[in-house]
Amino acid sequence: MSAAHGQARFFGTGPSYNDADLALVRVLEGASVDWDVAATHYADRVEGVCALDVSSKSLRPARVLMLGAIAVIRPGTGDLPLPRHARAAIIDLRELPAAPGLEEALARAIGVVSTAPVTRLSERVRHHVGMTDEVVPEEEYPIYTNYVDLRAREPHAATGRSELPVTLLTGPALAPAAARFAVDLRMARRAWLVGSPVHTAVAESKWMPVRARGMLVRTARLEDAQGAAPDVIPADLSLSRFGLGAASSESLPSARVLQAAAFLGAPPPVDRTAPVTRNAPPKRFALEVPPPSEASSGIARADLLIFHGATRLFFPYFDVVGDGIDGRLLEMLASVDAVPVTQVAQTHRLLLRFSEVLQDGHAFVYARGTPPPVGYFGVLLDDVAGEPVVLRSELTEVHPGDTLTSIEGQPMSEWLATEMAHTSAATPGFKREVAARRLINMNGPKTFGLRGVDGVTRFVQVQPHPRMVLGPPSLREAGSLADLGAPDLHYINLANQVLANDAKFRTALTAAQGARGLVLDMRGYPGLESYDAQRRLIPTTFFTSYLMYPVWAGPESFEFQGDSYPMEPRSNPSYAGPIVLLVGPRSVSAAEDFSMVMTGARRVTVIGRRSAGTNGAISQLLLPGYMVAWFTGMKVLFPDGSRFHGVGIVPDIEAAPTASDIAAGRDTELLRAIEYLRTGQ
């Protein structure tokens, strides 16, 4: 059902994302779900989708029955030997199963009776370059896009010894691949149709099995130079004319009928005077009218399926993190069946748990439209040896260097374990960092256990603070390091709360001219344009990271597109001396992209702790109940093409603070950078 809805949502010719998603919600309500019934009701509600009863059939071996000089071909698996005395071919398409390999079997069938390639119609399909953002309009966030494109299809290759006349036997129900084959050959005037008319919409559909049922999801419009193919391709002859029904593929017409059908001569052009009513797939946009924040079991199930389907199509790192989303989806659906969903917070937790399996530091879930918290825990936390330690505090009763040991009587180790099971991240340090952030929002007083640097644990009831404490680990401004005993060294903090734009960076870099060494602090999130800064810090030609976009040219054609690009240095100002780069668990995304290029150019020595291992622009998925799910939407590699996701920026020299360092105001990583620039060790 997830895959079928994903096809209807991202490639279908029917309604908007919102309409399709809400149709899914309606069919998934209730204490449990009968997926066969849900498939039928979903198809009834969504334009361009049809549900059918199916039985699981595989493709049989190909067969050729010779009736005199006529080869009656039943496409299937394996080779298709054609006797030399064949003078005409009848290809029987009736009741071929919608099974893997059918399209290839049909291509072999026409190939062995052709000496020239057989042209096929082009298809107008939706083309995705990444997953278009569903929250921010495309003109404001043009990283990913989708558009409707006319895609040419390769002709059927010819492998035969002679060009034989061809007749296709059609029945009232055809598999999509068989219907498309029939439309292509008849429009190309390569074959006659004998039997039932062919509905072009079936030829433009993709078969999606759903338990014991299945759905046809229309994803294309077939066209040639004259425009869209007719809605219906009529049969040139009806088998009923000869007293034979078309329903059974086991029954063949008599030799007299086959002779009449096989040697009809060249088929005439298809009549195209009737107006075409089929629409092409439309371009998709961000949702303009947000739905209300609601909760129900149907919303929760639909959100899980939509999130699963979107990541199945657009998440780029299954080859790195493993493909665990099917098992996690089943786990979450079982949770909904066990405990009915009545609150938005339940849906939120279910989606967080699903996102954990992606191991993606950009995978966040937000319940939009819900009230903000009453206040905040007025501290900034850092991860010290796997425990949350207060780095900065606006609360008189909580001090820098305090280690959180419990919350409301629950040991912090247990609380963190529960939260990390609902936290997606690519590296352990960033996972602990993100999980600990959930301590910040408060809707009332909470009692925390705090262990001071003296080893004594105390319990403090904390009231919600009006402001959230934000910022990088260090708020130090750019300038000389003379106060730390290194007047010949310079420091630039690249965090956006300290250095907000390119102009400020150039000013800071100008001030660093003549310094014997430079420390770049990338432990926060940057506010500058990375390429300009890199070009002033790398004195030779260098290469960017590889940015690889997941591209779907219609529902069947997938590839990654992208590259790494050369960059040239800039001057006035620039810096060519030794550089230390500080990184840590908060170094994520744009901070890591800057760092990837600097390390790829072998321009810096890295000191600190491993970064988050997550880079690439996010994709935002808007879900029923006004939930928003994020995930990384592109694959990013180091400039040399090696893996980055889950690896991150690994320090050349490890340095990490202790609780005592924090309490004393010592920046351990910065002090280690000074030591290295002075001694080379």
Side-chain angles (χ1 to χ4, degrees), residues 304-654:
L304 288 164
L305 263 65
I306 298 164
F307 197 2
H308 175 277
T311 51
R312 172 63 68 210
L313 291 168
F314 295 106
F315 182 64
Y317 287 118
F318 288 121
D319 62 325
V320 173
V321 304
D323 187 351
I325 64 172
D326 290 356
R328 186 58 57 85
L329 175 65
L330 295 176
E331 175 191 330
M332 295 299 93
L333 291 174
S335 296
V336 178
D337 289 349
V339 180
V341 174
T342 58
Q343 298 178 359
V344 171
Q346 290 175 273
T347 308
H348 187 227
R349 293 291 282 182
L350 290 164
L351 292 171
L352 286 174
R353 175 63 181 157
F354 176 83
S355 73
E356 188 273 341
V357 78
L358 297 175
Q359 300 177 39
D360 175 19
H362 281 150
F364 295 97
V365 180
Y366 300 98
R368 296 181 62 174
T370 55
V374 170
Y376 306 94
F377 187 20
V379 301
L380 182 69
L381 299 172
D382 199 358
D383 177 61
V384 177
E387 294 183 297
V389 174
V390 176
L391 185 63
R392 288 198 292 276
S393 175
E394 294 192 7
L395 307 174
T396 57
E397 66 272 30
V398 181
H399 313 131
D402 283 344
T403 299
L404 275 64
T405 60
S406 65
I407 177 172
E408 295 291 287
Q410 182 182 20
M412 188 54 62
S413 58
E414 293 181 7
W415 186 93
L416 280 174
T418 299
E419 289 307 311
M420 286 195 291
H422 294 79
T423 300
S424 192
T427 57
F430 192 61
K431 188 164 190 167
R432 290 191 295 269
E433 154 75 17
V434 173
R437 290 178 193 173
R438 296 179 189 153
L439 292 164
I440 301 302
N441 291 349
M442 297 178 66
N443 286 311
K446 291 183 179 178
T447 299
F448 289 93
L450 300 170
R451 185 179 68 241
V453 293
D454 58 3
V456 176
T457 297
R458 66 191 189 279
F459 296 91
V460 175
Q461 187 180 72
V462 176
Q463 300 294 328
H465 191 270
R467 293 186 307 277
M468 188 184 302
V469 180
L470 301 173
S474 174
L475 295 174
R476 183 186 181 101
E477 298 280 349
S480 167
L481 290 169
D483 62 310
L484 295 177
D488 54 344
L489 303 180
H490 210 81
Y491 169 88
I492 300 178
N493 192 337
L494 299 173
N496 57 6
Q497 294 93 339
V498 178
L499 188 143
N501 54 51
D502 297 338
K504 288 189 175 183
F505 172 76
R506 289 192 292 270
T507 298
L509 194 61
T510 299
Q513 302 303 297
R516 194 167 66 82
L518 177 64
V519 179
L520 295 177
D521 193 340
M522 191 54 97
R523 290 175 291 177
Y525 195 84
L528 50 76
E529 197 277 304
S530 290
Y531 291 150
D532 179 72
Q534 291 157 352
R535 293 168 76 175
R536 298 179 187 280
L537 296 167
I538 303 173
T540 58
T541 300
F542 62 94
F543 283 84
T544 66
S545 308
Y546 278 86
L547 303 180
M548 311 294 289
Y549 293 82
V551 175
W552 286 95
E556 302 293 344
S557 175
F558 176 80
E559 63 178 338
F560 283 103
Q561 293 179 0
D563 211 337
S564 175
Y565 303 96
M567 304 290 284
E568 298 299 327
R570 285 177 176 167
S571 58
N572 300 321
S574 63
Y575 184 81
I579 301 175
V580 164
L581 179 69
L582 300 182
V583 300
R586 284 189 181 85
S587 305
V588 63
S589 198
E592 293 183 293
D593 196 66
F594 175 89
S595 304
M596 291 171 72
V597 174
M598 297 297 291
T599 57
R602 302 184 184 280
R603 185 66 184 91
V604 296
T605 298
V606 181
I607 292 178
R609 292 170 283 172
R610 183 193 294 257
S611 69
T614 301
N615 191 14
I618 63 168
S619 294
Q620 292 193 94
L621 180 69
L622 186 55
L623 301 170
Y626 208 16
M627 309 295 293
V628 177
W630 289 13
F631 59 91
T632 301
M634 66 172 65
K635 178 176 286 190
V636 184
L637 306 174
F638 277 106
D640 65 0
S642 61
R643 169 187 160 188
F644 175 78
H645 188 85
V647 175
I649 305 298
V650 179
D652 300 301
I653 299 172
E654 290 277 350

Side-chain angles (χ1 to χ4, degrees), residues 80-105:
L80 195 62
L82 193 70
R84 289 184 174 273
H85 66 278
R87 295 294 176 265
I90 293 178
I91 302 175
D92 191 352
L93 305 181
R94 298 171 301 167
E95 296 186 10
L96 289 173
L102 177 58
E103 189 169 350
E104 294 80 2

